[in-house]
Amino acid sequence: MCGIVGYIGHREAYPVIIKGLKRLEYRGYDSAGIMLYDGENLKVSKTKGKVLDLEEKSTIEIKTNGTIGMGHTRWATHGVPNDINSHPHVSNSGKISIIHNGIIENYEPLKKELQKRGYVFHSDTDTEVLVNLIEEVQKKENLKLGKAVQIALNQVVGAYAICVFDVEKPNEIVVARLGSPLAIGVGENEFFIASDASPFIEYTSNAIYLEDEEMAIVRLHKPLKIRKIKDDSLVDPYIQELQMNLEQIEKGGYEHFMLKEIYEQPNVIKDTYRGRLLANKGIIQMAGIEDNLERFVNAERILIVACGTSWHAGLVAEYVIEEFARIPVEVEYASEFRYRNPIINKGDVLIAISQSGETADTLAAIKLAKENGAFVFGVCNVVGSSISRETHAGAYTHAGPEIGVASTKAFTTQITVLTMIALRIAKAKGTLSNTVYHRYLLELEMIPEKVEEALLTNDVSKIIAEKFKDAPNCLYLGRGYNFPVALEGALKLKEISYIHAEGYPAAEMKHGPIALIDEQMPVVVIAPRQEHYDKIVSNIQEIKSRSGKIIAIVTKGDVQVKELADYSIEIPDTLDALSPLLTTIPLQLLSYHIAVFRECNVDQPRNLAKSVTVE
């Protein structure tokens, strides 16, 4: 959540920053602001609302020339969303400006101390406290900006990614991070600063990702220096080549990023298993697994930690790993795991799942598991992300940038990776017959083609969506491998259409939710022809007898459920454990079209952020 963009170089900074802020809109925000320095004056414009509002306001309020600047999209924490609380914030002298992602937990005592020293505060934010603390340290000890920032950060408790500019040091920007991502794009005689690489991908393919408790002084015409905040030791900059391109972060003719990303799934699933799955040879090869195979084979249990959609992918993995590899699996919300004093043993393997690789709760769970001696394996999408660096080993999903806040391709690529892991462990343990193992490898290779076929349900999903766009509530039911898909389908509907929805195991309906069933209640039933088919038919009959409106996801050629359902969507047949990769497709399309009919902001739903980097 929140977005940072900074620039120092030879270009006009304003268009770089505004375009960069638009690229970061997917992160979620409620206000935006910009600071420019034209060689003489520090100019600030900020507003509650969208980047477009900032663009309109700033062109009136400030001259938009200058080759140094920074911009910010804010997600309100301390202080309501308004113009005053928006970033950037400026120190009392008017000389130092800051933008900040994160939370300063001890801002209140710092603020009281600064007020005793004569500082006046205009906003309700913790960030204004930090910029004035930096000024006080600098003034009191007659320090350069970089050293003042370092000393000030050693006095704060919390999380941050910051950019700081001082008019008295007009050729540099000081940046630092702890618990919130920050990347530096390295160009020719220019530097870019951002929460992720998307704002500067068109200008450079070289990036440095700051580690926690690191700061850098970004100067023109001088080498980049990175230091540890605590002990001032120098760190050698590690420049990475970016794995994304401009085309990946543009809509490509689609009305919304979410729709584009739904349709990308056949290709990204293929990208995820490319080079790893050699179906004809009966081979799954994943470096992170092969190098640590004994740890998985001998694991006493596997713990999976994640949040949101990634948690649902973890639930699918629980079914698949236990079925194939016969290892006990527990799936935990990372936010609960970190606080409940969990029992973690040295023989445990912890799998952390996160699209962004920056989820704060998941990172905290990783650190806790490592402290207790568990082996930690990461499944994430973003190369160079914090989780990829914090874990002992891992696997990337290769989904490409996911801009829509509601995850779609992240979910299916995570399931793809986790299924391959389960199959590889099962092969090593001998818990799956060769016949079944080879059948799954061959079928997994066919999944992208079957997802393509599932996407042909778009038109029928749109028709059904129009029928139910005004429903106040919705139930999603599934069994076995498709119970997590029911949870995910309900989450998608809630996220982007603001319709209350709940997912349940189909058999649990009679333990409470059946009381809600009437002619006004749409019930989405995930009913592919597999092991629990007869049981779910019985559940559908119970709904039908109470006048519930049934939308069924069925296997192509199904007769029995189609006769009972009011509406049905057909998907290709596949093996049971792979069915979530197909059943989720029409649910994504259904949620998307309902949200469009309701005129909701599909890519940036209210109150949500793509990456939750603070508690």
Side-chain angles (χ1 to χ4, degrees), residues 73-199:
T73 51
R74 175 180 186 253
W75 178 278
T77 53
H78 297 88
V80 299
N82 60 28
D83 293 7
I84 293 172
N85 289 330
S86 304
H87 298 205
H89 287 285
V90 179
S91 66
N92 275 194
S93 70
K95 294 180 180 180
I96 303 175
S97 177
I98 192 172
I99 53 178
H100 165 224
N101 291 351
I103 293 175
I104 305 302
E105 295 175 7
N106 64 333
Y107 82 101
E108 285 190 2
L110 292 171
K111 183 175 184 177
K112 288 177 183 176
E113 181 61 31
L114 289 168
Q115 285 173 326
K116 289 179 184 176
R117 300 182 187 187
Y119 285 85
V120 176
F121 293 90
H122 306 284
S123 75
D124 302 313
T125 68
D126 53 340
T127 305
E128 191 183 9
V129 174
L130 180 55
V131 72
N132 281 304
L133 176 63
I134 292 168
E135 178 165 285
E136 174 64 11
V137 170
Q138 185 186 44
K139 181 173 63 176
K140 186 177 179 181
E141 302 190 30
N142 193 27
L143 298 172
K144 292 182 179 179
L145 178 65
K147 193 64 180 177
V149 169
Q150 182 183 8
I151 292 172
L153 291 178
N154 276 305
Q155 296 180 36
V156 303
V157 176
Y160 52 79
I162 60 170
C163 294
V164 187
F165 175 79
D166 183 351
V167 294
E168 294 186 352
K169 299 288 288 183
N171 291 318
E172 69 180 41
I173 296 175
V174 177
V175 299
R177 73 155 283 184
L178 173 61
S180 195
L182 201 63
I184 301 170
V186 182
E188 193 169 333
N189 297 320
E190 60 182 348
F191 291 98
F192 306 82
I193 302 153
S195 298
D196 64 42
S198 59

Side-chain angles (χ1 to χ4, degrees), residues 21-294:
L21 291 177
K22 289 178 180 177
R23 295 253 174 89
L24 293 178
E25 285 187 301
Y26 75 92
R27 295 175 66 86
Y29 70 106
D30 46 50
S31 52
I34 190 168
M35 182 282 294
L36 295 171
Y37 182 67
D38 63 6
E40 295 181 3
N41 300 303
L42 188 151
K43 303 171 292 183
V44 173
S45 180
K46 50 188 186 175
T47 183
K48 176 185 175 181
K50 295 297 184 181
V51 176
L52 184 62
D53 300 316
L54 172 65
E55 197 171 8
E56 291 175 355
K57 186 178 182 183
S58 60
T59 52
I60 297 169
E61 285 188 342
I62 62 174
K63 292 181 179 179
T64 57
N65 61 304
T67 58
I68 298 175
M70 21 189 231
H72 188 263
T73 51
R74 175 180 186 253
W75 178 278
T77 53
H78 297 88
V80 299
N82 60 28
D83 293 7
I84 293 172
N85 289 330
S86 304
H87 298 205
H89 287 285
V90 179
S91 66
N92 275 194
S93 70
K95 294 180 180 180
I96 303 175
S97 177
I98 192 172
I99 53 178
H100 165 224
N101 291 351
I103 293 175
I104 305 302
E105 295 175 7
N106 64 333
Y107 82 101
E108 285 190 2
L110 292 171
K111 183 175 184 177
K112 288 177 183 176
E113 181 61 31
L114 289 168
Q115 285 173 326
K116 289 179 184 176
R117 300 182 187 187
Y119 285 85
V120 176
F121 293 90
H122 306 284
S123 75
D124 302 313
T125 68
D126 53 340
T127 305
E128 191 183 9
V129 174
L130 180 55
V131 72
N132 281 304
L133 176 63
I134 292 168
E135 178 165 285
E136 174 64 11
V137 170
Q138 185 186 44
K139 181 173 63 176
K140 186 177 179 181
E141 302 190 30
N142 193 27
L143 298 172
K144 292 182 179 179
L145 178 65
K147 193 64 180 177
V149 169
Q150 182 183 8
I151 292 172
L153 291 178
N154 276 305
Q155 296 180 36
V156 303
V157 176
Y160 52 79
I162 60 170
C163 294
V164 187
F165 175 79
D166 183 351
V167 294
E168 294 186 352
K169 299 288 288 183
N171 291 318
E172 69 180 41
I173 296 175
V174 177
V175 299
R177 73 155 283 184
L178 173 61
S180 195
L182 201 63
I184 301 170
V186 182
E188 193 169 333
N189 297 320
E190 60 182 348
F191 291 98
F192 306 82
I193 302 153
S195 298
D196 64 42
S198 59
F200 55 76
I201 185 63
E202 66 193 270
Y203 307 107
T204 180
S205 59
N206 297 318
I208 296 169
Y209 292 90
L210 288 187
E211 301 280 0
D212 272 351
E213 298 185 329
E214 288 183 353
M215 61 178 289
I217 300 176
V218 183
R219 295 188 180 101
L220 281 179
H221 312 299
K222 289 187 178 181
L224 187 70
K225 284 189 177 180
I226 300 176
R227 294 182 179 274
K228 289 288 185 182
I229 293 168
K230 284 190 175 179
D231 62 15
D232 201 38
S233 59
L234 282 170
V235 177
D236 290 332
Y238 173 58
I239 298 177
Q240 296 188 34
E241 186 173 352
L242 297 173
Q243 301 297 309
M244 69 171 74
N245 57 56
L246 190 59
E247 183 182 342
Q248 289 178 306
I249 59 172
E250 294 183 338
K251 289 181 183 174
Y254 288 90
E255 186 177 354
H256 298 96
F257 280 110
M258 182 180 178
L259 187 61
K260 177 188 179 224
E261 288 154 10
I262 289 171
Y263 273 86
E264 285 177 342
Q265 287 174 110
N267 288 331
V268 297
I269 290 171
K270 194 176 293 183
D271 289 342
T272 294
Y273 72 57
R274 180 178 286 115
R276 295 166 164 172
L277 172 66
L278 307 174
N280 290 330
K281 295 181 180 179
I283 293 173
I284 290 175
Q285 53 185 21
M286 304 172 71
I289 298 295
E290 295 304 319
D291 294 344
N292 302 281
L293 191 57
E294 283 190 18

